[in-house]
Structures are given as structure tokens and as C-alpha cells.
Amino acid sequence: MRIGHGYDVHKFGGDKPLILAGVTIPGAQGVLAHSDGDVVLHAVCDALLGAAALGDIGEHFPDTDERWRGASSRALLAHCLKLAAERGLRPDNVDVTVIAQVPRLGPHKQTMRAQLAADLGLPETAVNLKATTTEGLGYIGRKEGIAVHAVALLSG
């Protein structure tokens, strides 16, 4: 068994929709990013790569590489899963914490969890997704951006 931790943050801005865990959040401000900016999937990718001792998302999908401009983070996740599988590892469970003052994620959490579970090939009972605010503190509290922590347990 191997444990990995992932973290990602993005600044709000631009004209892209906000996508979290593969789900478009209606009416929410998108983020500035080289890919589609799915901060949840980026953190999960880093957790998977960390557990497999395969570096980080920036090494595999650098923002200097035009192949990844506008890329779907679901495709990035699929690639990270493939890399882990090549090492004989598969995810057993994932725990995600989204830190955002806006948008309110309560109405979207179950859909996000279900999509993440499907993309990971896990039952929903093996995927947890939490959302919290910073109570108005810092850049997140000022509604300037969004952050995510993810932990993944892999086994082989």
C-alpha cells in the first residue's frame, strides 16, 4: 500500500467554465490555467503520482508544452492512472478537500463525487469529497481563487 498527497491551486479569471472533478459548475467563474483548470483532478493526479513515486503533474504535463493547452483534466487523470498501473498500482480510495469561498459546492458535491469515482474506476464508497471555506480569510476568502488537497491510497 502506498499513500500520496496532492495539492493544487488556481486563480479565478478568464472565460473558461469552472470544472471541478470533471463536472461543469453552472454560473461559476472559471480559472486561469493552461489546461481546462480542473483543480480537483490536478490535485488527484498529484496524489496518484506521489503514491507511485512518479514525480508531479508539472513534470508530466508542463504548461510550456502546447500539447496540453486546453487539455481535459480527465485525460490527464487517465494518463496518471495508466502510469500507476504500469507500476502495478491501482487506487483503493481517494479523499479530496476543496477549499473555496465561492462557488457554494453543496449542490454539486454528489455529482462531483460520482464523476470522480467513475473516472478512477472506483465505487463511490471509495471516494470522498469535502468542501470548506476559509471563513473569508486570505486569497480564497477574498474570492480570488480555489485550492484542493487530495490523498490517494494505492495498492498493487
Side-chain angles (χ1 to χ4, degrees):
M1 298 184 104
R2 299 173 69 141
I3 297 172
H5 175 263
Y7 173 79
D8 198 32
V9 61
H10 282 287
K11 180 178 181 176
F12 288 125
D15 57 1
K16 297 179 195 173
L18 181 63
I19 301 171
L20 299 174
V23 176
T24 300
I25 308 300
Q29 171 67 60
V31 297
L32 300 173
H34 187 69
S35 67
D36 66 7
D38 188 329
V39 66
V40 171
L41 295 188
H42 294 179
V44 171
C45 283
D46 261 347
L48 295 170
L49 292 169
L54 288 167
D56 63 53
I57 194 171
E59 294 172 39
H60 293 272
F61 313 104
D63 63 7
T64 55
D65 188 335
E66 286 303 308
R67 289 181 299 166
W68 307 117
R69 181 171 299 283
S72 165
S73 295
R74 293 178 72 202
L76 305 183
L77 178 63
H79 184 73
C80 291
L81 287 166
K82 179 178 176 271
L83 291 173
E86 289 171 356
R87 291 234 168 145
L89 299 167
R90 59 174 168 64
D92 285 325
N93 82 299
V94 172
D95 185 29
V96 174
T97 304
V98 181
I99 308 161
Q101 201 69 38
V102 292
R104 292 290 184 181
L105 295 178
H108 310 287
K109 281 175 35 181
Q110 183 51 43
T111 304
M112 292 165 58
R113 179 181 177 208
Q115 183 63 63
L116 182 56
D119 286 346
L120 290 167
L122 292 171
E124 286 184 43
T125 56
V127 175
N128 192 51
L129 189 134
K130 306 175 296 289
T132 191
T133 71
T134 60
E135 300 295 331
L137 298 174
Y139 71 91
I140 292 173
R142 290 189 301 270
K143 304 174 185 174
E144 296 171 7
I146 186 169
V148 175
H149 287 273
V151 177
L153 178 67
L154 278 62
S155 64

